[in-house]
Amino acid sequence: MVLRASTWARLKSDADAGKFDDMHGPRFAGRRHGAGRGDLRPSCALRRGFVRGRAPAALRNDAPSRRRADVLGRGLPYLVAEREGRVVGYSYATPYRARSAYRFTIENSVYVENELSGAGIGRALLAALIARCETGEWRQMIAVIGDSHNAPSIGLHARLGFRPIGTLRAVGFKFGRWVDSVLMQRELEARAGASG
């Protein structure tokens, strides 16, 4: 689907692709789609590079294939961005907390190859993730951003309607230093079934 003369994007298996792309017009020349098993190895390498380069608090010990299976098993989206056949970013949503009282709140994660920061990939992935989550029963999306010095991620979330709700000081210890976690929140479009 051509959006602009030099930019195109496609959401695989997403009936709302045209509507989304017309509204948000991502700036990167590539495509976003649901993540398949073949996307895991490149996304693991991408995440390692991202974490080493910018966000040490974002490291998790769970295996990517197990995480992806858990996300998809819960009916939540897990998206990847490709450029020239190579995975250059990914995003997904997970439950914010395990307890039933929090079942309408989700947390997002977005990772983009360091060299492509500022190319619109993170914005396209996060906007697509928000749009997909708004079709479900969820009402709030939380961003837990590792490291209060991660201005690109904080700015990205702010541009897409997240507001700062707090900072947990020195709660993570990675690569020999203490890091903060910045909490941001965004309302999702209310849908039927989320009446509480």
Side-chain angles (χ1 to χ4, degrees):
M1 170 186 309
V2 176
L3 300 176
R4 296 188 194 128
S6 62
T7 305
W8 65 276
R10 192 172 78 203
L11 286 170
K12 183 177 177 183
S13 303
D14 186 353
D16 294 330
K19 183 173 84 172
F20 168 79
D21 289 334
D22 289 341
M23 285 185 340
H24 298 285
R27 296 181 297 151
F28 75 99
R31 64 187 184 112
R32 298 175 311 273
H33 59 82
R37 287 186 182 162
D39 296 320
L40 292 177
R41 181 168 287 131
S43 66
C44 291
L46 186 151
R47 187 162 193 262
R48 279 192 303 274
F50 175 87
V51 170
R52 284 187 192 123
R54 289 196 302 207
L59 276 175
R60 294 183 188 220
N61 294 324
D62 53 342
S65 59
R66 195 169 45 244
R67 183 179 333 110
R68 178 183 164 273
D70 182 56
V71 167
L72 296 176
R74 294 172 183 272
L76 290 161
Y78 194 111
L79 308 173
V80 298
E82 287 185 339
R83 179 181 272 177
E84 300 171 4
R86 185 171 59 88
V87 173
V88 295
Y90 65 98
S91 65
Y92 58 90
T94 56
Y96 176 64
R97 295 282 184 262
R99 294 185 182 199
S100 178
Y102 301 102
R103 68 189 175 276
F104 301 116
T105 303
I106 53 179
E107 180 180 333
N108 78 78
S109 294
V110 179
Y111 300 93
V112 175
E113 203 172 90
N114 282 338
E115 297 78 27
L116 297 174
S117 179
I121 298 168
R123 181 181 180 93
L125 282 167
L126 184 54
L129 187 70
I130 291 167
R132 287 196 181 188
C133 289
E134 286 186 328
T135 66
E137 62 185 1
W138 306 287
R139 297 184 57 120
Q140 301 290 328
M141 183 177 277
I142 306 296
V144 180
I145 300 167
D147 199 349
S148 57
H149 298 291
N150 189 347
S153 185
I154 293 168
L156 166 67
H157 284 84
R159 285 188 298 281
L160 288 174
F162 287 79
R163 65 185 189 286
I165 55 172
T167 302
L168 302 173
R169 303 282 178 205
V171 293
F173 189 79
K174 299 290 179 185
F175 302 113
R177 68 182 182 101
W178 291 99
V179 294
D180 302 337
S181 284
V182 175
L183 304 176
M184 298 181 79
Q185 180 176 348
R186 182 193 195 283
E187 281 188 48
L188 298 173
E189 188 75 26
R191 300 285 183 208
S195 60

